[in-house]
C-alpha cells in the first residue's frame, strides 16, 4: 500500500504541475512490455504510468521520473520488473552504491581487431566507458549518467544515437571534430572543432559523432540526461543486427547493389 500511496501522490503532484496532458511515459530501457497477468503490479503500474505520463508532459521536469525520496538505489537482483530498477531497502544502502572509481584510467583504443569480431568499437579507434544505473546503482530514478570517451589518434566515435538522453560533452585532452544531424526533412549537419575545455551539446535522439583530429590520444567526458541513455550505433544496428536485415531490404533502402550491402554486412 505504501508504494501505491507514494505513486498516487506523485501522480497527483505531477498532474497538478503539468499544464497539459499529452505524451507517453519516458522509458528507462528499450522495452517494458506489460504483464497483464500480474495482480500485484497492476495498481502500481497504472499509478506509475499516470505519474510518468504527467511528468513527461511537464516541460519543466527532467526526463526520467523524479525521485520520490532521497534515493532509490537500484536493486538489480529483484525479479520484479518495473520501468527502471526497484529500490533497495534504504537501510542496506551504502556509500559504494553512489561510487565509481577509476574514470581517470585511459581505456584501450589500440586493439584494432578486438576479441569479438562483431565488436567494431575499437576498430574505429574509440572506447566509451558509460556509468549508468547498472554501474552506479544510486543513479536509479535520478535522470542522469556519465561517460568517459577515449579516442585513439585519428580515432572515431562512430555515428550513433542516444534514444533516451541529451549529451553534454567537454574535451579534457586533444581536439575533436564533432557533429550531429537534425531530423527529416532538413537533415542539417551541425559541426564544430572542439578543444580542451570546450563544451558541446548533442540533442536527444539525433545522430552524432566525434572524430579525433590529432596524432595523439584524446579524452572527453560527457553528462547524459538519463540513468540509462542507451546507444544505437547506426552501422552496427543497420548492418549488424541479429538476425540480419535482408540485403534486399537494405539494397533498396540505400539504393545500391546487394553485393555492396553484403560487403558492408560482413564487417559487422
Ligand atoms: C492480457 O493479454 C492477453 C494476451 O495478450 C489478452 O488476450 C487479454 O485480453 C489481456 N487482458 C487484459 C485484461 O488486458
Ligand atoms: C575498452 O577499454 C577497456 C580497458 O582498457 C578494455 O577492457 C575494453 O576491451 C575496451 N573496449 C573496446 C571496445 O575496445
Ligand atoms: C548500462 O550500460 C552498459 C554498458 O553500455 C549496458 O551493458 C547495460 O545494459 C546498461 N544498463 C541498463 C540498465 O541497460
Ligand atoms: C547489477 O549490479 C552489479 C553490481 O553493481 C553489476 O556488476 C551488474 O552489471 C548489474 N547488472 C545489471 C543487469 O544492471
Amino acid at each position: 500500500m505504501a508504494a501505491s500511496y507514494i505513486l498516487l501522490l506523485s501522480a497527483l503532484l505531477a498532474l497538478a504541475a503539468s499544464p497539459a496532458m499529452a505524451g507517453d511515459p519516458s522509458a528507462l530501457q528499450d522495452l517494458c512490455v506489460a504483464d497483464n497477468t500480474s495482480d500485484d503490479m497492476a495498481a502500481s503500474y497504472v499509478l506509475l504510468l499516470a505519474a510518468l505520463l504527467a511528468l513527461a508532459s511537464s516541460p519543466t521536469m527532467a526526463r526520467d521520473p523524479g525521485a520520490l525520496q532521497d534515493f532509490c538505489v537500484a536493486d538489480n537482483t529483484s525479479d520484479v520488473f518495473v520501468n527502471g530498477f526497484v529500490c533497495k531497502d534504504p537501510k542496506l544502502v551504502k556509500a559504494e552504491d553512489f561510487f565509481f572509481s577509476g574514470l581517470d584510467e585511459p581505456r584501450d583504443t589500440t586493439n584494432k581487431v578486438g576479441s569479438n569480431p562483431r565488436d567494431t568499437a575499437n576498430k574505429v579507434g574509440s572506447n566509451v566507458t558509460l556509468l549508468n544505473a547498472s554501474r552506479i546503482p544510486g543513479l536509479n530514478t535520478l535522470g542522469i549518467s556519465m561517460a568517459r570517451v577515449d579516442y585513439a589518434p585519428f580515432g572515431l566515435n562512430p555515428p550513433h544515437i542516444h534514444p533516451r538522453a541529451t549529451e553534454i560533452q567537454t574535451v579534457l585532452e586533444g581536439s575533436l571534430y564533432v557533429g550531429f544531424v537534425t531530423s527529416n526533412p532538413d537533415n542539417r549537419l551541425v559541426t564544430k572543432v572542439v578543444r580542451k575545455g570546450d563544451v558541446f551539446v548533442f540533442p536527444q535522439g539525433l545522430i552524432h559523432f566525434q572524430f579525433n583530429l590529432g596524432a595523439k590520444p584524446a579524452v572527453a567526458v560527457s553528462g547524459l540526461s538519463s540513468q540509462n541513455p542507451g546507444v544505437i550505433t547506426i552501422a552496427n544496428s543497420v548492418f549488424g543486427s541479429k538476425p540480419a536485415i535482408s540485403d534486399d531490404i537494405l539494397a533498396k533502402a540505400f539504393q545500391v547493389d546487394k553485393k555492396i550491402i553484403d560487403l558492408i554486412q560482413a564487417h559487422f
Side-chain angles (χ1 to χ4, degrees):
M1 287 304 285
S4 298
Y5 274 124
I6 289 171
L7 287 166
L8 179 57
L9 200 67
S10 89
L12 293 174
L13 271 175
L15 282 168
S18 166
M21 276 293 295
D24 290 338
S26 305
L28 293 172
Q29 57 281 303
D30 288 352
L31 311 167
C32 177
V33 175
D35 176 7
N36 74 8
T37 64
S38 170
D39 294 341
D40 242 21
M41 293 305 297
S44 300
Y45 267 130
V46 169
L47 290 167
L48 183 57
L49 203 68
L52 291 172
L53 189 67
L55 285 167
S57 61
S58 168
T60 56
M61 295 281 184
R63 219 181 150 265
D64 286 3
L68 298 170
Q69 53 284 308
D70 286 352
F71 46 73
C72 168
V73 173
D75 174 5
N76 76 9
T77 64
S78 170
D79 51 10
V80 175
F81 291 92
V82 295
N83 190 22
F85 293 103
V86 301
C87 311
K88 248 181 157 176
D89 178 347
K91 291 194 288 293
L92 302 178
V93 164
K94 350 180 253 309
E96 279 65 34
D97 291 325
F98 302 92
F99 176 78
F100 180 89
S101 181
L103 206 61
D104 59 323
E105 285 162 21
R107 265 55 183 179
D108 182 11
T109 57
T110 56
N111 176 3
K112 289 287 189 288
V113 181
S115 51
N116 177 357
R118 296 188 77 98
D119 183 1
T120 51
N122 54 17
K123 283 188 196 167
V124 290
S126 64
N127 190 332
V128 180
T129 308
L130 175 65
L131 305 182
N132 56 14
S134 295
R135 301 293 275 282
I136 304 184
L139 283 174
N140 193 36
T141 74
L142 297 182
I144 196 168
S145 58
M146 186 178 196
R148 171 187 173 116
V149 192
D150 288 80
Y151 307 85
F154 308 111
L156 176 69
N157 187 7
H160 64 280
I161 291 169
H162 301 295
R164 292 176 288 275
T166 289
E167 174 173 359
I168 182 165
Q169 182 179 61
T170 188
V171 181
L172 300 184
E173 287 301 334
S175 51
L176 303 173
Y177 172 69
V178 302
F180 63 80
V181 181
T182 67
S183 58
N184 299 353
D186 292 348
N187 301 130
R188 184 159 79 94
L189 174 63
V190 177
T191 63
K192 185 126 186 93
V193 173
V194 288
R195 300 185 172 81
K196 186 171 177 169
D198 292 349
V199 175
F200 199 77
V201 173
F202 304 97
Q204 179 173 338
L206 299 187
I207 293 182
H208 61 284
F209 60 86
Q210 299 110 24
F211 175 71
N212 180 5
L213 289 169
K216 286 186 181 162
V219 183
V221 166
S222 295
L224 295 124
S225 61
S226 168
Q227 69 179 49
N228 187 22
V231 188
I232 299 168
T233 305
I234 306 303
N236 300 49
S237 292
V238 175
F239 295 103
S241 67
K242 287 164 262 181
I245 301 175
S246 130
D247 54 4
D248 290 317
I249 301 280
L250 293 181
K252 197 163 175 88
F254 287 87
Q255 297 168 39
V256 293
D257 193 272
K258 274 204 281 184
K259 285 199 195 77
I260 296 172
I261 298 297
D262 297 343
L263 190 71
I264 301 174
Q265 281 179 326
H267 285 79
F268 296 91

